[in-house]
Amino acid sequence: MLDLAGYLDQPADGVTLVVLHKSGNRGKRVLDALKKGGARVIEARAVKTERDKHDFVTEEFRTARRKIAPDAVGALVLAVGKDLRELASACEQLIRDVDGLVETEDVTTYYGEKVETTGFRVAEAALTGDEAAAMALLRHAMLGGLDPVPIVAVLALQLRQVGKVATAGRGSSAQLARDLGMAPWQVDAARRTSQGWDGERLGAAIQAVARADVDVKGGLRTEAAVRSPEHAVERVVLTVCRLRNR
């Protein structure tokens, strides 16, 4: 920072300087000097929550004057949202390669082998009670060598979202999204899904997924029926489907 302060006293011609400041008081004097000298300031809020990531994707498409379906935003975040640079790159690729509105099918075409995307589709089918679709998707994923752990994690996430929305009371999707730290489309999806559940069956499903989470991670198996992580995830998907249809 001392070197930078000295440079500002005699800046070189034709040089563009890019300075990153991570907030706080450290380096604030130099930052103030840059601002006073007419530097262009771009504020970049930290992207931390799932809602932040959804907003990031939506803004990337808006900036490019393109549209992406809300469900496709969710699928993309689930597929590549662990790394923001990868998420930005995925947005760029879809904007470049897909004409018109970007749909969930487009995300699946480019990133369908990502385990989070597969988990999203399995969970969606299970929570709506579509046993045939859920098991077909799951077995396809298993044959492809995908790890059961994140599939169970996505199933748990979807169930928690349904539980949170079901007990949040009335309100607009935007309001509940702010209160619950979710995206509005997630609130709408959870509301639709919750119509087929009651508290008792939802609680039983959450407990079943919690047990499966232990089993797929190699925890203590007290039941002889749990032979492998693959068997554990198949069993919990069937359980959720049958609870939904009970």
Side-chain angles (χ1 to χ4, degrees):
M1 283 299 182
L2 291 175
D3 290 342
L4 181 57
Y7 173 81
L8 293 176
D9 291 333
Q10 292 182 318
D13 293 334
V15 173
T16 299
L17 191 64
V18 179
V19 178
L20 174 65
H21 188 260
K22 296 183 178 180
S23 75
N25 292 323
R26 185 176 181 181
K28 190 173 183 303
R29 185 173 64 84
V30 175
L31 183 64
D32 290 340
L34 285 165
K35 290 180 179 178
K36 187 177 180 180
R40 181 187 177 192
V41 178
I42 300 175
E43 293 188 10
R45 295 184 298 111
V47 177
K48 297 180 180 178
T49 67
E50 289 301 302
R51 183 181 176 187
D52 289 341
K53 293 176 183 178
H54 284 82
D55 290 345
F56 174 82
V57 170
T58 302
E59 187 59 32
E60 288 289 287
F61 277 80
R62 183 182 293 117
T63 300
R65 297 183 179 181
R66 294 291 306 280
K67 292 185 178 181
I68 180 170
D71 286 352
V73 174
L76 187 60
V77 170
L78 284 168
V80 295
K82 290 181 180 179
D83 186 288
L84 194 61
R85 287 172 295 185
E86 189 176 356
L87 186 58
S89 177
C91 291
E92 182 181 357
Q93 181 176 29
L94 290 169
I95 289 167
R96 182 181 65 247
D97 294 351
V98 179
D99 295 328
L101 176 68
V102 175
E103 304 271 13
T104 303
E105 291 76 11
D106 299 313
V107 176
T108 302
T109 297
Y110 284 85
Y111 304 103
E113 294 306 312
K114 294 285 187 177
V115 69
E116 292 86 353
T117 301
T118 301
F120 175 77
R121 295 172 66 198
V122 171
E124 186 177 49
L127 266 68
T128 57
D130 191 342
E131 184 175 317
M135 294 308 296
L137 286 165
L138 180 61
R139 284 166 182 162
H140 178 74
M142 295 296 100
L143 287 172
L146 296 181
D147 192 329
V149 173
I151 296 178
V152 173
V154 174
L155 186 57
L157 172 65
Q158 297 289 308
L159 282 167
R160 287 197 301 271
Q161 288 180 345
V162 170
K164 287 164 65 175
V165 170
T167 58
R170 296 182 177 181
S172 68
S173 299
Q175 178 61 50
L176 289 183
R178 286 192 295 271
D179 294 342
L180 301 176
M182 298 166 60
W185 77 269
Q186 289 178 309
V187 173
D188 291 336
R191 273 178 165 162
R192 290 193 298 269
T193 302
S194 68
Q195 294 175 5
W197 290 88
D198 57 32
E200 180 181 354
R201 287 182 294 132
L202 186 62
I206 291 172
Q207 290 177 0
V209 172
R211 289 193 296 270
D213 185 61
V214 174
D215 290 331
V216 298
K217 291 176 181 176
L220 179 63
R221 299 187 179 109
T222 57
E223 300 177 46
V226 182
R227 297 186 294 272
S228 67
E230 291 76 14
H231 179 76
V233 72
E234 284 192 0
R235 187 178 68 170
V236 76
V237 168
L238 280 173
T239 298
V240 171
C241 288
R242 290 168 184 177
L243 283 167
R244 167 62 175 78
N245 293 325
R246 193 171 71 188

